[in-house]
């Protein structure tokens, strides 16, 4: 009976040592995977920043195009308004000249 218990305890001890080795290996594997994941996430983050910077640059360009278009329209409006005012002035002078 004592021999059976000793054998059982020896076997349990061996199994526990194997389990400890397995857990150590598992911990090592998880740490390696976490490091790899961290590197991948850092690369992903860097790539996304580059892409967002490109999008920002394009959007800034589009905004400038709208500003230039609006500025051109404003200049055209001012040009036309100025011409209309000059024509009105000339018509007024012509009317007053003809009335005299």
């Amino acid at each position: 009976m004592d021999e059976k218990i000793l054998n059982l305890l020896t076997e349990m001890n061996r199994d526990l040592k194997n389990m400890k080795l397995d857990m150590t290996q598992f911990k090592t594997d998880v740490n390696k995977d976490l490091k790899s994941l961290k590197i991948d996430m850092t690369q992903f983050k860097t790539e996304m920043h580059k892409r967002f910077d490109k999008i920002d640059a394009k959007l800034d360009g589009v905004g400038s195009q709208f500003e230039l278009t609006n500025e051109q329209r404003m200049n055209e409006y001012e040009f036309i308004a100025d011409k209309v005012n000059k024509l009105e002035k000339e018509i007024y002078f012509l009317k007053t000249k003809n009335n005299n």
Side-chain angles (χ1 to χ4, degrees):
M1 181 83 162
D2 286 338
E3 191 175 325
K4 282 185 172 184
I5 293 175
L6 183 62
N7 285 340
L8 263 173
L9 288 174
T10 305
E11 188 177 329
M12 283 177 61
N13 187 27
R14 194 174 334 118
D15 289 343
L16 285 173
K17 285 181 181 179
N18 287 335
M19 189 184 303
K20 182 178 177 181
L21 286 173
D22 289 344
M23 293 301 290
T24 304
Q25 183 61 42
F26 178 73
K27 180 180 174 185
T28 303
D29 292 345
V30 167
N31 284 336
K32 188 189 325 179
D33 289 345
L34 286 175
K35 285 179 185 176
S36 175
L37 181 63
K38 184 176 179 182
I39 290 170
D40 290 345
M41 290 304 292
T42 303
Q43 289 172 344
F44 177 74
K45 184 178 169 184
T46 302
E47 178 66 25
M48 291 308 295
H49 280 291
K50 287 179 185 176
R51 289 183 180 185
F52 283 132
D53 288 344
K54 287 180 183 178
I55 290 170
D56 282 343
K58 286 182 181 180
L59 289 176
D60 285 341
V62 169
S64 294
Q65 288 174 357
F66 284 125
E67 289 171 8
L68 291 175
T69 303
N70 286 339
E71 182 180 334
Q72 186 177 13
R73 285 185 186 152
M74 288 171 54
N75 289 339
E76 287 175 5
Y77 173 78
E78 289 172 7
F79 174 78
I80 292 171
D82 187 48
K83 286 291 185 184
V84 168
N85 287 334
K86 286 181 181 177
L87 282 172
E88 287 176 345
K89 193 178 196 181
E90 285 182 33
I91 291 172
Y92 173 76
F93 285 133
L94 287 172
K95 281 184 178 181
T96 56
K97 186 179 183 183
N98 285 335
N99 288 339
N100 290 333

